[in-house]
Amino acid sequence: MDSKYLTPSQIVTELDKYIVGQHDAKRNVAIALRNRWRRMNITSDMKNEIIPNNILMIGATGVGKTEIARRLAKIADAPFVKVEASKFTEVGYVGRDVESMVRDLVEQSVNMVKARKKEEVKEKAAAIVEDIILDALIPPMRQSSSKPAGFGSELEGQEAPTSDVELNERTRNLFRDKIRNGELEDRKVRALEWWVRE
């Protein structure tokens, strides 16, 4: 979900799925989130007219402060870290200092970007790995190559191939389907050469 297309009422509706009550809090954080987005995406002339609001939630344990913040961060696709802030007690300072909080937040941000980038290349990587496995099982042929041995029975019932290259391609497609269907999961491929494809 992309928060830039959500109005404050839609953000509240999204928060309502997970948080019971606290309507005023949800409404206020939704407006604050929308104003932040508007300020980031507006022309420089109007930027100063939209004042960004920081959010301070106060309440007893268990009223939903953390859950509102966590869900809001998810809607905004922003990192979320919960820490115990430093406070002075009778025995000294207890909790985390600002530097360690920022470090945790940056680490969380880096992990989010890594996960997003992995998802973007997942399909392409799977196709490349599939080709590498196929090349190890059934090397591709050129016009002058001879017929691959041992795979003729896999193609029974199909129209006879007109050339060795066509037979090789059909066999590769058959094994490609088997790989995608998980039929070759228990087979081991050895002496596999890895390379980077353009």
Side-chain angles (χ1 to χ4, degrees):
M1 150 188 5
D2 197 340
S3 63
K4 67 185 176 190
Y5 299 118
L6 296 179
T7 64
S9 60
Q10 290 172 321
I11 294 171
V12 170
T13 302
E14 189 64 27
L15 292 172
D16 282 340
K17 294 178 185 176
Y18 307 100
I19 300 145
V20 177
Q22 301 295 347
H23 182 73
D24 288 341
K26 290 185 281 193
R27 183 175 170 275
N28 287 327
V29 295
I31 291 168
L33 176 64
R34 182 64 180 182
N35 283 344
R36 285 241 174 221
W37 178 85
R38 285 175 58 211
R39 191 170 196 274
M40 288 170 56
N41 292 282
I42 205 159
T43 59
S44 56
D45 301 338
M46 290 293 294
K47 189 172 277 191
N48 294 331
E49 299 298 320
I50 301 170
I51 300 169
N53 296 319
N54 291 320
I55 302 166
L56 179 64
M57 289 188 280
I58 301 170
T61 301
V63 296
K65 301 182 301 292
T66 302
E67 195 58 28
I68 287 174
R70 187 192 321 275
R71 295 296 173 179
L72 201 64
K74 191 167 189 178
I75 290 169
D77 195 23
F80 175 81
V81 177
K82 182 183 176 184
V83 294
E84 179 70 29
S86 296
K87 57 186 174 182
F88 188 70
T89 67
E90 292 176 5
V91 294
Y93 284 101
V94 177
R96 307 285 293 280
D97 61 5
V98 173
E99 187 179 315
S100 66
M101 292 181 209
V102 172
R103 193 181 309 117
D104 287 351
L105 201 56
V106 169
E107 189 176 312
Q108 180 75 13
S109 303
V110 169
N111 290 338
M112 285 177 66
V113 172
K114 279 183 181 176
R116 195 178 303 128
K117 293 296 180 188
K118 279 182 184 176
E119 203 57 40
E120 286 174 11
V121 299
K122 189 176 180 180
E123 204 171 297
K124 186 178 178 183
I128 290 171
V129 169
E130 192 177 86
D131 286 339
I132 292 170
I133 292 170
L134 276 174
D135 290 348
L137 292 173
I138 306 150
M141 291 179 62
R142 290 182 170 71
Q143 292 292 343
S144 59
S145 300
S146 58
K147 183 183 290 187
F151 295 113
S153 61
E154 302 282 356
L155 299 172
E156 285 178 6
Q158 296 183 19
E159 188 179 325
T162 57
S163 68
D164 292 345
V165 175
E166 187 181 341
L167 174 62
N168 179 265
E169 193 55 39
R170 280 194 194 178
T171 306
R172 283 175 65 85
N173 288 336
L174 177 75
F175 272 75
R176 187 182 306 276
D177 291 339
K178 287 182 179 239
I179 290 169
R180 289 176 181 171
N181 295 333
E183 295 175 33
L184 304 177
E185 289 297 311
D186 56 342
R187 293 184 67 173
K188 292 183 180 177
V189 179
R190 292 184 183 170
L192 194 58
E193 289 186 18
W194 296 92
W195 68 92
V196 177
R197 294 190 171 200
E198 298 276 330

